Amino acid sequence: MQLKKMRITEAKQYVADKLHVTPLDLSDPTLMRGLREELDIGTITGVPGVAKGIAAKIRIAELLDIEINCVEQFKKKTGLHK
């Protein structure tokens, strides 16, 4: 969210809105683990069948409608860039 020049409060609200939770929910590890598994955006500790690494970052970029540099570089190198 730094690339969008957002302050931390704005960034938390933006992410919370995109995930359909409250900014306070973002700091709830139990709620967020379940949401991360449901949205397939990776978890802090690995879970079989849930996205990891670049796959998780791609899902996050799509879900939040933001550009993540390593995702864009990966897409260019693999020919997936639009």
Side-chain angles (χ1 to χ4, degrees), residues 22-37:
T22 69
L24 189 58
D25 291 338
L26 296 175
S27 61
D28 181 332
T30 304
L31 184 139
M32 289 307 298
R33 181 177 183 93
L35 185 59
R36 284 173 160 275
E37 287 178 18

Side-chain angles (χ1 to χ4, degrees), residues 22-78:
T22 69
L24 189 58
D25 291 338
L26 296 175
S27 61
D28 181 332
T30 304
L31 184 139
M32 289 307 298
R33 181 177 183 93
L35 185 59
R36 284 173 160 275
E37 287 178 18
E38 180 183 318
L39 297 173
D40 197 23
I41 57 173
T43 58
I44 302 304
T45 55
V47 174
V50 176
K52 297 177 195 82
I54 194 70
K57 287 187 179 193
I58 290 170
R59 297 268 306 133
I60 292 167
E62 290 171 353
L63 188 66
L64 298 181
D65 192 30
I66 60 173
E67 282 188 15
I68 299 175
N69 189 46
C70 65
V71 170
E72 296 305 310
Q73 294 302 315
F74 177 80
K75 287 180 178 180
K76 285 179 188 173
K77 289 181 179 181
T78 59

